Amino acid sequence: MEGRPLEDAELVDLARDGDVPAYEELVSRYQGIAHRVAWLVARQAGEAEDAVQEAFVKAYYALPRFRPGAPFRPWLLRIVANEARNRVRSSRRREGLALRAAAADPGGAAPSPEVAALEREDAQALTRALERLREPDRLVIAYRYLFELSEAEMADALGVRPGTVKSRLSRALGRLRAELEASGEVTR
């Protein structure tokens, strides 16, 4: 199809009618963020990958129940997070692998080696502090700052009211700040 790319709602409608390429386009659009969400919950690459694959299958079969006009991305991320939780629960594997934060785009001129080293140390300290948080805190922080979801999208993805998102994010950031202060690792 020539012209503008189709909106998510249009692709969902087509996929509901059996258009497999339309659903493949949705999978292509959201595979990366779905994998990062699953990683945040499962914290193991293999489990995260399996959760994402299963979540996309479940989402496909749940399309008839998808609320028309609702945003697709938060709905999908909720399915992904639930599937990852179920896998963690059933497998009982709770190994402490490092949380991999999305790589920041440095943009502009390259920093000096000293600044780059300090930024890398700060990023590692932040990653370790995030890893020490409970899953709900990691998710709310990641949804907002790593995946840049709006408050409305976060509310949908978390299954809570928009007002609840603000308070959860505030409390999670407070716990993250306390972890960073307690570790004494942040250089600035």
Side-chain angles (χ1 to χ4, degrees):
M1 183 175 277
E2 306 263 341
R4 70 170 176 78
L6 295 177
E7 298 290 325
D8 287 355
E10 295 169 306
L11 290 170
V12 168
D13 288 342
L14 290 170
R16 276 183 167 160
D17 293 335
D19 187 336
V20 174
Y23 193 69
E24 288 173 351
E25 174 62 25
L26 288 168
V27 170
S28 176
R29 283 183 188 179
Y30 295 111
Q31 191 166 5
I33 193 171
H35 193 273
R36 291 189 302 269
V37 167
W39 170 258
L40 282 169
V41 175
R43 300 175 74 190
Q44 188 175 28
E47 288 294 318
E49 186 63 38
D50 290 347
V52 168
Q53 289 178 9
E54 187 64 28
F56 274 117
V57 170
K58 286 182 177 183
Y60 180 77
Y61 287 111
L63 282 176
R65 296 188 309 272
F66 179 71
R67 189 170 31 104
F72 180 77
R73 182 171 72 163
W75 178 76
L76 173 67
L77 295 181
R78 188 173 187 184
I79 293 171
V80 170
N82 286 339
E83 182 61 28
R85 265 188 221 104
N86 291 342
R87 289 187 162 280
V88 167
R89 221 176 273 129
S90 68
S91 69
R92 301 210 189 288
R93 292 183 212 158
R94 299 196 185 270
E95 297 184 76
L97 297 177
L99 177 66
R100 296 189 179 128
D105 179 12
S112 70
E114 296 83 9
V115 170
L118 289 174
E119 287 175 353
R120 193 170 38 256
E121 288 174 15
D122 285 351
Q124 290 170 348
L126 179 61
T127 299
R128 286 190 293 274
L130 275 169
E131 188 177 70
R132 290 189 296 268
L133 295 177
R134 295 175 317 125
E135 174 200 305
D137 291 340
R138 286 193 316 266
L139 272 178
V140 74
I141 290 170
Y143 282 162
R144 180 67 188 107
Y145 296 104
L146 300 179
F147 307 143
E148 299 177 351
L149 268 62
S150 69
E151 286 181 9
E153 290 174 320
M154 289 172 62
D156 284 347
L158 294 168
V160 299
R161 294 185 311 183
T164 304
V165 168
K166 286 183 179 183
S167 62
R168 282 193 185 180
L169 182 58
S170 176
R171 286 192 301 269
L173 288 172
R175 287 190 275 274
L176 178 60
R177 193 175 303 108
E179 282 291 335
L180 288 168
E181 290 171 0
S183 72
E185 293 181 283
V186 177
T187 58
R188 297 175 244 160

